[in-house]
Amino acid sequence: GTICAAQRTGQERLVRTSLVIANWKLNGDAELLKSFAEHFHQSEIQQHIGVAICPPAVYLKTADVLLNAIGVKVGGQNCSEFEQGAYTGEISAQMLADSGCRYVLIGHSERRALFAESDAVMAGKVQQAQAAGLTPVLCIGETLEQREAGELEQVIEQQLSSACKEVDFENLVIAYEPVWAIGTGKTATPAQAQDVHRLIRNWVATKAPEAAQKIQILYGGSVKADNATELFSQADIDGGLIGGASLDTEQFAAICQAANVKKDS
Ligand code: PGA
């Protein structure tokens, strides 16, 4: 009766493993990968939390050899919404998987703003990624104008619903990245970020109640070693997507250490 139900609830309350992903953008090289490999080979933080590096695609094979062997995962920064064919310059999700990737970033705000990727395109990319066995990291977030106009919730829900068509929520990571915080040095306050993370988890719960408790929701936007602890201690923040600070091995490693926190969610 009551006791059994309580025990079951206890077991079902999973503490999510933290995940920290480096997004190198159009930066980095094989030397930087070597420096990461040496650092993580020694620190072994990746035994306690998930750590992944998304270098430019031409370095994926090198990353595969250096990092997968020591438990650091590898991801692509983008993939095609097409499976194959006459699409010059594109890289398919399957090709990323063949190159040793576990993750792929989808819909980063730079892709949306600078390369005109629409929400409709995101849905195709998420589907391609999952079909290839990758875990898509769907990036969403509002601009400052949208936040100030009171459109935050609407924008987040719109981005989620248009990108998550026929998606398996059991194999998805969501990254909340307020556009005004990316590369600007302005971080969302831990409370501001937590509010949106909770909104996202609640939205997922309306589609997939069980997956909602397990899904990792990462914060991104000017995360540094000195603000990571406070952000990662929030109940619904399960790690980070790190741009600028991921180009410095020591700083990125310190951010990973900050994500190694135990929370009862
Ligand atoms: P930033 O970038 O850490 O340099 O703000 C984050 C991102 O774009 O993923």
Side-chain angles (χ1 to χ4, degrees):
T2 327
I3 292 170
C4 282
Q7 280 171 341
R8 223 182 62 217
T9 314
Q11 278 169 2
E12 280 171 3
R13 190 191 292 150
L14 293 167
V15 178
R16 294 175 292 275
T17 309
S18 297
L19 173 63
V20 179
I21 302 181
N23 173 14
W24 281 6
K25 309 189 180 184
L26 190 53
N27 300 292
D29 53 21
E31 282 307 308
L32 189 57
L33 279 173
K34 272 186 215 149
S35 140
F36 266 64
E38 278 161 26
H39 205 106
F40 284 93
H41 180 62
Q42 275 165 22
S43 82
E44 295 196 319
I45 181 70
Q46 66 276 19
Q47 309 301 332
H48 306 284
I49 66 160
V51 177
I53 314 289
C54 301
V58 291
Y59 299 115
L60 286 173
K61 280 311 270 182
T62 307
D64 177 26
V65 171
L66 292 175
L67 298 175
N68 275 324
I70 57 167
V72 172
K73 305 286 194 293
V74 177
Q77 295 179 9
N78 182 28
C79 72
S80 180
E81 75 260 42
F82 304 111
E83 194 178 339
Q84 60 176 35
Y87 303 105
T88 302
E90 291 289 273
I91 296 175
S92 75
Q94 187 59 54
M95 291 168 188
L96 293 178
D98 289 347
S99 307
C101 286
R102 159 76 190 278
Y103 295 101
V104 59
L105 308 182
I106 308 275
H108 189 280
S109 69
E110 287 152 17
R111 301 295 321 166
R112 294 176 192 260
L114 306 174
F115 301 94
E117 286 187 11
S118 67
D119 279 321
V121 166
M122 304 319 161
K125 292 187 179 202
V126 168
Q127 285 167 21
Q128 285 294 327
Q130 291 192 333
L134 299 173
T135 301
V137 179
L138 175 66
C139 304
I140 58 172
E142 83 289 0
T143 63
L144 191 58
E145 295 70 37
Q146 290 166 332
R147 177 174 274 263
E148 287 177 345
E151 293 166 5
L152 173 63
E153 292 192 14
Q154 191 194 321
V155 168
I156 295 296
E157 291 184 358
Q158 165 65 27
Q159 288 176 342
L160 285 169
S161 59
S162 44
C164 297
K165 298 234 155 66
E166 292 165 54
V167 67
D168 174 7
F169 286 99
E170 300 277 345
N171 183 31
L172 179 71
V173 172
I174 297 173
Y176 169 56
E177 300 204 301
V179 176
W180 47 273
I182 296 177
T184 58
K186 281 188 208 160
T187 330
T189 66
Q192 278 176 327
Q194 166 59 25
D195 282 351
V196 184
H197 281 236
R198 175 57 56 87
L199 174 78
I200 294 168
R201 198 176 304 284
N202 287 345
W203 183 88
V204 175
T206 65
K207 310 288 164 190
E210 282 181 31
Q213 291 313 308
K214 295 184 251 170
I215 194 167
Q216 291 164 313
I217 306 178
L218 314 184
Y219 172 78
S222 297
V223 178
K224 304 275 184 288
D226 60 11
N227 60 22
T229 304
E230 228 195 325
L231 286 161
F232 297 163
S233 63
Q234 300 296 309
D236 290 288
I237 302 185
D238 306 313
L241 179 54
I242 319 300
S246 77
L247 298 172
D248 177 321
T249 311
E250 305 263 324
Q251 173 140 207
F252 181 70
I255 292 169
C256 291
Q257 293 290 347
N260 191 17
V261 282
K262 296 268 173 295
K263 290 179 285 197
D264 16 81
S265 53

